[in-house]
Short mmCIF file of all heavy atoms in Angstrom, two decimals:
data_model
loop_
_atom_site.label_atom_id
_atom_site.label_comp_id
_atom_site.label_asym_id
_atom_site.label_seq_id
_atom_site.Cartn_x
_atom_site.Cartn_y
_atom_site.Cartn_z
N ARG A 285 -10.85 6.09 21.39
CA ARG A 285 -10.17 7.48 21.59
C ARG A 285 -8.70 7.30 21.78
O ARG A 285 -7.86 8.02 21.34
CB ARG A 285 -10.85 8.14 22.66
CG ARG A 285 -10.42 9.65 22.82
CD ARG A 285 -11.34 10.46 23.71
NE ARG A 285 -11.50 9.77 25.01
CZ ARG A 285 -12.63 9.37 25.48
NH1 ARG A 285 -13.69 9.18 24.75
NH2 ARG A 285 -12.66 8.84 26.71
N HIS A 286 -8.33 6.23 22.51
CA HIS A 286 -6.87 5.95 22.82
C HIS A 286 -6.18 5.64 21.48
O HIS A 286 -5.04 6.10 21.28
CB HIS A 286 -6.80 4.72 23.70
CG HIS A 286 -5.44 4.05 23.82
ND1 HIS A 286 -4.45 4.67 24.64
CD2 HIS A 286 -4.93 2.94 23.26
CE1 HIS A 286 -3.32 3.88 24.52
NE2 HIS A 286 -3.61 2.89 23.67
N GLY A 287 -6.90 4.91 20.53
CA GLY A 287 -6.28 4.55 19.27
C GLY A 287 -5.97 5.80 18.44
O GLY A 287 -4.99 5.95 17.83
N VAL A 288 -7.01 6.77 18.47
CA VAL A 288 -6.85 8.00 17.78
C VAL A 288 -5.67 8.84 18.31
O VAL A 288 -4.88 9.45 17.68
CB VAL A 288 -8.15 8.87 17.83
CG1 VAL A 288 -7.93 10.28 17.20
CG2 VAL A 288 -9.29 8.11 17.13
N THR A 289 -5.53 8.88 19.68
CA THR A 289 -4.55 9.63 20.32
C THR A 289 -3.11 9.03 20.00
O THR A 289 -2.22 9.80 19.63
CB THR A 289 -4.66 9.58 21.84
OG1 THR A 289 -6.00 10.07 22.16
CG2 THR A 289 -3.68 10.38 22.59
N VAL A 290 -2.91 7.68 20.07
CA VAL A 290 -1.60 7.12 19.82
C VAL A 290 -1.17 7.26 18.28
O VAL A 290 -0.16 7.70 18.07
CB VAL A 290 -1.62 5.58 20.18
CG1 VAL A 290 -0.33 4.97 19.76
CG2 VAL A 290 -1.90 5.42 21.68
N THR A 291 -2.17 6.98 17.41
CA THR A 291 -1.88 7.14 16.03
C THR A 291 -1.57 8.62 15.58
O THR A 291 -0.82 8.89 14.75
CB THR A 291 -2.94 6.55 15.12
OG1 THR A 291 -4.21 7.13 15.45
CG2 THR A 291 -3.02 5.04 15.30
N GLY A 292 -2.37 9.47 16.29
CA GLY A 292 -2.11 10.94 16.04
C GLY A 292 -0.74 11.42 16.58
O GLY A 292 -0.08 12.14 15.86
N ALA A 293 -0.29 10.95 17.70
CA ALA A 293 1.06 11.20 18.19
C ALA A 293 2.07 10.69 17.22
O ALA A 293 3.14 11.35 16.99
CB ALA A 293 1.15 10.59 19.60
N ILE A 294 1.94 9.41 16.68
CA ILE A 294 2.83 8.89 15.71
C ILE A 294 2.89 9.66 14.42
O ILE A 294 3.98 9.94 13.89
CB ILE A 294 2.52 7.43 15.46
CG1 ILE A 294 2.74 6.60 16.71
CG2 ILE A 294 3.34 6.89 14.35
CD1 ILE A 294 2.05 5.28 16.74
N LEU A 295 1.72 10.16 14.03
CA LEU A 295 1.75 10.99 12.82
C LEU A 295 2.44 12.34 13.01
O LEU A 295 3.14 12.77 12.12
CB LEU A 295 0.22 11.24 12.38
CG LEU A 295 0.03 12.18 11.19
CD1 LEU A 295 0.71 11.71 9.94
CD2 LEU A 295 -1.44 12.45 10.95
N LEU A 296 2.26 12.95 14.21
CA LEU A 296 2.90 14.17 14.47
C LEU A 296 4.42 13.94 14.54
O LEU A 296 5.19 14.76 14.08
CB LEU A 296 2.43 14.77 15.85
CG LEU A 296 1.08 15.22 15.86
CD1 LEU A 296 0.58 15.68 17.28
CD2 LEU A 296 0.92 16.47 14.94
N ALA A 297 4.86 12.80 15.06
CA ALA A 297 6.28 12.48 15.14
C ALA A 297 6.85 12.26 13.82
O ALA A 297 8.06 12.68 13.49
CB ALA A 297 6.54 11.14 16.00
N ALA A 298 6.02 11.60 12.89
CA ALA A 298 6.43 11.45 11.45
C ALA A 298 6.62 12.78 10.70
O ALA A 298 7.56 12.99 9.92
CB ALA A 298 5.52 10.54 10.72
N ILE A 299 5.63 13.69 10.97
CA ILE A 299 5.73 15.09 10.36
C ILE A 299 6.94 15.83 10.93
O ILE A 299 7.71 16.47 10.21
CB ILE A 299 4.52 15.86 10.69
CG1 ILE A 299 3.23 15.24 9.97
CG2 ILE A 299 4.59 17.32 10.33
CD1 ILE A 299 1.88 15.78 10.35
N ALA A 300 7.27 15.63 12.28
CA ALA A 300 8.47 16.28 12.89
C ALA A 300 9.71 15.69 12.23
O ALA A 300 10.69 16.42 11.99
CB ALA A 300 8.46 16.07 14.32
N LEU A 301 9.67 14.38 11.95
CA LEU A 301 10.92 13.68 11.40
C LEU A 301 11.06 14.30 9.94
O LEU A 301 12.27 14.45 9.56
CB LEU A 301 10.59 12.18 11.35
CG LEU A 301 11.77 11.33 10.95
CD1 LEU A 301 12.93 11.32 12.07
CD2 LEU A 301 11.32 9.91 10.74
N THR A 302 10.03 14.51 9.21
CA THR A 302 10.05 15.03 7.91
C THR A 302 10.59 16.45 7.98
O THR A 302 11.47 16.80 7.10
CB THR A 302 8.66 15.05 7.29
OG1 THR A 302 8.10 13.66 7.30
CG2 THR A 302 8.70 15.48 5.75
N LEU A 303 10.22 17.28 8.90
CA LEU A 303 10.68 18.62 8.99
C LEU A 303 12.13 18.64 9.37
O LEU A 303 12.90 19.55 8.92
CB LEU A 303 9.81 19.42 9.99
CG LEU A 303 8.36 19.62 9.69
CD1 LEU A 303 7.61 20.25 10.80
CD2 LEU A 303 8.27 20.43 8.31
N GLY A 304 12.57 17.77 10.24
CA GLY A 304 13.99 17.68 10.62
C GLY A 304 14.93 16.93 9.59
O GLY A 304 16.14 16.99 9.77
N PHE A 305 14.30 16.32 8.63
CA PHE A 305 15.03 15.49 7.63
C PHE A 305 15.89 16.66 6.74
O PHE A 305 15.43 17.57 6.43
CB PHE A 305 14.06 14.80 6.74
CG PHE A 305 14.72 13.80 5.76
CD1 PHE A 305 15.16 12.57 6.14
CD2 PHE A 305 14.89 14.22 4.41
CE1 PHE A 305 15.69 11.71 5.21
CE2 PHE A 305 15.52 13.33 3.48
CZ PHE A 305 15.98 12.15 3.89
N ASP A 306 17.17 16.19 6.53
CA ASP A 306 18.00 17.03 5.74
C ASP A 306 17.63 16.84 4.25
O ASP A 306 18.09 15.96 3.54
CB ASP A 306 19.48 16.66 5.91
CG ASP A 306 20.37 17.59 5.14
OD1 ASP A 306 19.92 18.48 4.46
OD2 ASP A 306 21.69 17.40 5.26
N HIS A 307 16.75 17.70 3.74
CA HIS A 307 16.26 17.59 2.31
C HIS A 307 17.29 17.97 1.35
O HIS A 307 17.06 17.58 0.18
CB HIS A 307 15.00 18.49 2.18
CG HIS A 307 13.89 18.06 2.90
ND1 HIS A 307 12.87 17.29 2.32
CD2 HIS A 307 13.52 18.15 4.24
CE1 HIS A 307 11.86 17.02 3.32
NE2 HIS A 307 12.23 17.64 4.38
N SER A 308 18.48 18.47 1.67
CA SER A 308 19.46 18.71 0.72
C SER A 308 20.38 17.43 0.51
O SER A 308 21.13 17.35 -0.48
CB SER A 308 20.47 19.84 1.13
OG SER A 308 20.97 19.54 2.42
N HIS A 309 20.18 16.40 1.30
CA HIS A 309 20.94 15.14 1.18
C HIS A 309 19.98 13.95 1.41
O HIS A 309 20.16 13.16 2.30
CB HIS A 309 22.11 15.09 2.17
CG HIS A 309 23.14 16.16 2.04
ND1 HIS A 309 23.11 17.32 2.62
CD2 HIS A 309 24.25 16.16 1.13
CE1 HIS A 309 24.17 18.08 2.27
NE2 HIS A 309 24.88 17.36 1.37
N PRO A 310 18.97 13.83 0.48
CA PRO A 310 18.02 12.77 0.73
C PRO A 310 18.57 11.36 0.43
O PRO A 310 17.92 10.37 0.77
CB PRO A 310 16.83 13.14 -0.21
CG PRO A 310 17.49 13.93 -1.25
CD PRO A 310 18.60 14.63 -0.64
N SER A 311 19.73 11.32 -0.14
CA SER A 311 20.27 9.96 -0.44
C SER A 311 21.02 9.40 0.72
O SER A 311 21.42 8.19 0.80
CB SER A 311 21.22 10.05 -1.69
OG SER A 311 22.30 10.95 -1.42
N THR A 312 21.22 10.23 1.81
CA THR A 312 21.98 9.87 2.95
C THR A 312 21.06 9.24 4.02
O THR A 312 19.96 9.81 4.26
CB THR A 312 22.75 10.97 3.61
OG1 THR A 312 23.59 11.59 2.59
CG2 THR A 312 23.60 10.53 4.81
N MET A 313 21.44 8.09 4.56
CA MET A 313 20.67 7.51 5.63
C MET A 313 20.69 8.45 6.84
O MET A 313 21.78 8.79 7.35
CB MET A 313 21.15 6.19 6.07
CG MET A 313 20.72 4.99 5.10
SD MET A 313 18.97 4.77 5.03
CE MET A 313 18.86 3.70 3.71
#
Side-chain angles (χ1 to χ4, degrees):
R285 188 165 58 246
H286 168 78
V288 174
T289 304
V290 174
T291 55
I294 293 161
L295 176 59
L296 289 175
I299 293 170
L301 190 69
T302 305
L303 294 174
F305 187 81
D306 184 358
H307 290 262
S308 60
H309 296 93
S311 62
T312 304
M313 283 295 171

